[in-house]
Amino acid sequence: MRTRHRPYLISAGMAVLGAWALWLAGSDDFARFFGRLPAPLVVPGLAALGFWALATLDARGYRTGSMQSGPLTVWIFLGGLALSALPIGIDLIQPFSAEINIPYPRALIFYPVMAVVAEVQFHLLPLALLALILPRARPTLWLVVPVALIEPAFQVVFGGGPVLQSGLVALHVGIFNLLQLWLFFRNGFLAMILLRLGFYLGWHVIWGAARLELLF
């Protein structure tokens, strides 16, 4: 199982190293998400829970796909990058707050760490908990649909934006989550996180730096 879930273990390990690197550099970027809890403790804890979730899905008969490095990985990453155009359009129509982005160059470490955190809390843990509740090996649709609603709901509740902005964000994030979960069950964790990493690069890193000059 460890071999099959190697992409997750590598991603989680890199996230732990990134959290430590920013903490040692004196960054408090994680405080808005973790409060007073130190990131070097939170991220390893979530990483361990993520591996437990993958093991639980396996044990309950929800075997996920796998994917080797190759052209498909590049296309998925570029697809995530292209999907960043949607929230950029929302931002141009009705701008988000100026404080939503972590500045460059810390963003290059921060957002890959948060990509792993997001996948664990929005996808892996809810999938595993549902798998424990449902009868063994039900159709994956029973897991995908309710789990795909979690991150859009989180964005709407904690985003605090105007109605139009919140509605567009919920629609975009809902579609994004459905696509991610489809990739997860078809091609494994690597495909799912690559889509998010591509999206984060476009939305949080590239546009995150440009929007401060263009919109404020």
Side-chain angles (χ1 to χ4, degrees):
M1 182 179 70
R2 290 183 180 179
T3 300
R4 195 164 66 83
H5 295 309
R6 184 177 297 163
Y8 174 78
L9 293 173
I10 293 173
S11 301
M14 295 297 292
V16 170
L17 291 176
W20 270 99
L22 289 176
W23 183 75
L24 291 172
S27 167
D28 62 351
D29 295 328
F30 294 103
R32 69 175 75 177
F33 300 100
F34 302 154
R36 301 178 68 178
L37 296 174
L41 294 181
V42 175
V43 176
L46 287 173
L49 287 173
F51 188 74
W52 168 83
L54 289 170
T56 299
L57 288 171
D58 286 344
R60 297 293 292 175
Y62 295 95
R63 188 174 179 85
T64 57
S66 61
M67 180 178 66
Q68 303 299 319
S69 59
L72 183 58
T73 62
V74 176
W75 283 111
I76 291 173
F77 181 82
L78 292 177
L81 183 62
L83 286 171
S84 68
L86 298 176
I88 290 172
I90 298 172
D91 200 22
L92 291 171
I93 295 170
Q94 197 162 53
F96 297 95
S97 167
E99 288 78 32
I100 64 170
N101 298 108
I102 301 300
Y104 178 90
R106 300 198 310 273
L108 295 175
I109 299 177
F110 178 82
Y111 287 110
V113 174
M114 290 306 297
V116 174
V117 170
E119 297 306 347
V120 172
Q121 68 179 11
F122 291 132
H123 292 154
L124 297 184
L125 284 179
L127 286 171
L129 293 174
L130 268 179
L132 288 173
I133 295 170
L134 294 173
R136 186 180 296 270
R138 294 292 93 187
T140 55
L141 193 64
W142 290 30
L143 301 183
V144 167
V145 173
V147 171
L149 297 176
I150 296 174
E151 190 173 4
F154 177 88
Q155 294 287 350
V156 170
V157 171
F158 293 99
V163 174
L164 175 61
Q165 186 187 84
S166 296
L168 292 173
V169 167
L171 179 62
H172 167 258
V173 177
I175 294 172
F176 183 80
N177 273 256
L178 284 171
L179 181 56
Q180 274 200 296
L181 290 166
W182 176 75
L183 286 171
F184 175 61
F185 282 104
R186 187 176 186 274
N187 299 109
F189 180 82
L190 178 60
M192 181 168 68
I193 198 167
L194 279 175
L195 193 74
R196 187 177 291 269
L197 287 172
F199 172 74
Y200 278 6
L201 175 63
W203 167 238
H204 285 301
V205 179
I206 298 175
W207 179 248
R211 68 188 300 272
L212 295 178
E213 298 293 330
L214 296 173
L215 302 180
F216 300 97

